[in-house]
Amino acid sequence: WGNGQYSRNSSTKMISFKANGDREFFCHVIHAAGNDAGVEDHVQQLVNGLQAADINTTIDGDGSNGFQKITDANMVVLCVSKQMMDECDNDSSLVRRHYDLAYQSRQKWLVYAVVDPDLRDTRGWTGMLALRAGSELYFDFSKSPISRDNLDKLAHKIKIARSSQYMGQN
């Protein structure tokens, strides 16, 4: 990685890498609010796990501009749940608009993470999400506690994306 700087934000405990002259690399997580408590717990475990793996991670609903975060993010993780499928089928939904932006602008670096145990089988996916992502591979974060192995695999994929973007391969 050579010519760059690592920085630590003590309040969020995030470490990020910024190559000389480049903007900071980060991952943005899209999820639908209103999931049941178990699904929300999986989302939070996922975000905490990525941050613990030294990946600067933002999430919808943190008070920031979600559209700007998606536009600026190097990678987007979409949390698949029943609520997410419902929101993706509503054209006026903010979540749908976030997903559309991520799908259209970052398809190469858009990753799906199943956080609802009923949706491990993609044949249960419906609507827009099934149409766009039903044949995609996904990371399974639907069990509690979330799989450390799957978290390590996702973190590895993100770090590969980070290194290839800094090498000018995006």
Side-chain angles (χ1 to χ4, degrees):
W1 290 48
N3 301 327
Q5 295 180 353
Y6 286 93
S7 62
R8 178 179 289 278
N9 181 328
S10 60
S11 64
T12 61
K13 298 184 172 109
M14 287 191 257
I15 297 174
S16 55
F17 179 81
K18 188 173 189 175
N20 291 340
D22 287 337
R23 63 185 173 81
E24 187 174 318
F25 180 98
F26 74 94
C27 174
H28 184 71
V29 176
I30 301 174
H31 75 105
N35 288 305
D36 67 38
V39 170
E40 287 299 319
D41 184 53
H42 295 158
V43 171
Q44 194 57 56
Q45 287 180 52
L46 171 62
V47 170
N48 291 344
L50 291 174
Q51 290 173 346
D54 296 335
I55 296 169
N56 189 357
T57 307
T58 60
I59 185 167
D60 278 353
D62 66 359
S64 62
N65 181 329
F67 292 106
Q68 191 63 49
K69 291 290 185 186
I70 293 165
T71 300
D72 292 344
N74 305 89
M75 177 170 276
V76 174
V77 176
L78 183 98
C79 294
V80 178
S81 65
K82 289 178 200 160
Q83 184 69 26
M84 176 60 76
M85 283 191 299
D86 291 345
E87 293 285 333
C88 284
D89 287 339
N90 179 350
D91 290 340
S92 63
S93 160
L94 181 62
V95 171
R96 165 68 183 269
R97 294 186 316 219
H98 283 179
Y99 177 47
D100 285 345
L101 177 62
Y103 184 81
Q104 293 165 6
S105 64
R106 298 269 179 222
Q107 190 170 8
K108 181 177 179 184
W109 299 113
L110 177 60
V111 176
Y112 298 91
V114 173
V115 293
D116 187 325
D118 294 334
L119 297 175
R120 282 188 217 131
D121 184 348
T122 57
R123 290 177 292 185
W125 296 16
T126 60
M128 180 61 68
L129 200 55
L131 182 66
R132 288 183 177 171
S135 64
E136 297 288 327
L137 295 177
Y138 64 82
F139 291 90
D140 184 1
F141 295 104
S142 63
K143 299 175 185 167
S144 230
I146 63 172
S147 165
R148 183 77 217 166
D149 185 52
N150 286 350
L151 187 59
D152 290 344
K153 288 176 185 174
L154 177 57
H156 180 73
K157 181 174 179 77
I158 292 170
K159 288 177 181 180
I160 288 171
R162 176 172 60 191
S163 65
S164 69
Q165 287 182 1
Y166 282 125
M167 301 294 225
Q169 297 174 1
N170 186 19

